Amino acid sequence: MRRRPAGSAARGATTGEPGPIAVGAARGRWLTLGRDGRLSLYAPVRDGLLRWTETVPGGPGPHHATVAGLTHLSVAQGTNGYVHFLGRRERPAADGSPQVDIVHAIQYQTGLAVTDWRSLGNPHPDRTEGARLGPPSGAVAADGTVHAFVRGARGGLLLRREDAKGKWRAWEDLGGAGADAHPAAVALSGGRIEVCAAAETGTLVWRQSQPGGDVSGPRGFALRPSPGTVSALETAPDRAVFLWTDAETGEAHAWRLGGSPVGLGGAGADQPYAAVRTSLDGSDWTVLATRDATGSAVLGMGVTEQEADGFWWHGLAASCQGAPALALDGRGRVTVALIGADGVPMVARQEDGAAGLVLTDWQRL
């Protein structure tokens, strides 16, 4: 099969009045496709969460959900379309010391209100240790159960998850040491969850042997991801690839359990890699988006599970806060979203009928 570059990058942003101002980008899957074919984009603001939802494909508007003290926001979506928000909340206690807990809310249907935020507590009874609790990373198993992974005060991984009846279990200590604050969790189509994190000693991986079972690990590997850059994508049934920036070379790497990491090119990305699969020219392609060392959004793509054949990278002509997000819209078009340097979200989509992957002008929301 003849390989060719991915096409042109997104052109400059169109002009327009700025909407509500975001304070950085959420982690996880913060651009989601609802079961009705509408996209929603979620971003943290100083007093909670802002959501933009298409009224029809192509027509977004903002909705504000307040939660005081939110310091981090992570978004995950289940196969049932429910969108789950996991946050780290920090509020002053009576003595002025920080009181930290993990909070959770749900959007059951595109465009509807977000539920009340429910506290999942803090696994550390000691408030000093509790203040060092990391931000949550979420994954929703194929049966809809939510998993919230958090780095604990001592550097290991902690988990709180739902049981089969939707009730939250007690916190579980999954072990490990020196883990990065941003583990990457992936829900596989067979029902299992896998988690990968950069660590002081290399790379740590936790995994379920069966759906709903115990999470075993960690297994350590002599690989060197840059902290904060690890992400994951299912590339075949029950088979995940982990993506990161190599700490020594600054190059994007793809790695699967049982194999060796493959260099993908790219240059110095300091954020995780948003990833989505799409069909182009009759083949299955993986599209990546991240932020490079200059603060600019970049797009990369290559044939799925053939990473060694090469990736093509393109600048997206826009600076961004945090990592961009990727999704397929209701018409199957690759859609890129980012939070601009001025806090205004922007979206570009795959142009209809173009060869390869060509993006439209940026639309400011």
Side-chain angles (χ1 to χ4, degrees), residues 7-238:
S8 63
R11 295 179 284 275
T14 57
T15 60
E17 293 298 322
I21 302 302
V23 288
R27 305 282 297 198
R29 189 176 172 182
W30 55 268
L31 180 66
T32 63
L33 178 65
R35 300 183 73 176
D36 61 0
R38 291 185 293 157
L39 288 171
S40 294
L41 181 153
Y42 312 91
V45 292
R46 295 194 183 282
D47 61 347
L49 161 71
L50 271 175
R51 179 190 69 200
W52 289 260
T53 300
E54 293 178 322
T55 52
V56 294
H63 171 77
H64 190 184
T66 302
V67 53
L70 194 70
T71 65
H72 297 80
L73 175 67
S74 181
V75 186
Q77 186 178 30
T79 57
N80 56 9
Y82 297 173
V83 180
H84 295 267
F85 307 98
L86 291 163
R88 181 186 183 275
R89 181 171 63 179
E90 184 171 320
R91 299 171 295 173
D95 61 2
S97 62
Q99 183 172 319
V100 173
D101 65 345
I102 302 301
V103 291
H104 171 245
I106 309 171
Q107 176 188 281
Y108 287 108
Q109 186 175 329
T110 305
L112 294 188
V114 175
T115 65
D116 292 337
W117 293 82
R118 175 182 179 180
S119 176
L120 302 184
N122 189 314
H124 299 300
D126 179 80
R127 188 173 294 169
T128 301
E129 283 195 334
R132 300 201 301 271
L133 191 69
S137 299
V140 185
D143 64 358
T145 57
V146 183
H147 296 63
F149 297 94
V150 185
R151 186 193 64 183
R154 301 170 191 174
L157 193 65
L158 301 163
L159 166 64
R160 193 160 190 201
R161 55 175 162 164
E162 292 179 309
D163 63 20
K165 297 181 180 180
K167 294 184 178 180
W168 288 91
R169 301 183 183 184
W171 285 97
E172 302 172 46
D173 187 348
L174 303 183
D180 179 54
H182 298 289
V186 58
L188 301 173
S189 56
R192 297 187 307 105
I193 302 288
E194 294 186 354
V195 187
C196 180
E200 295 172 359
T201 55
T203 301
L204 300 176
V205 175
W206 294 260
R207 63 198 306 264
Q208 289 177 314
S209 59
Q210 60 184 11
D214 292 338
V215 180
S216 62
R219 290 180 61 191
F221 299 87
L223 306 170
R224 300 295 305 195
S226 292
T229 67
V230 181
S231 59
L233 176 70
E234 185 176 36
T235 55
D238 222 34

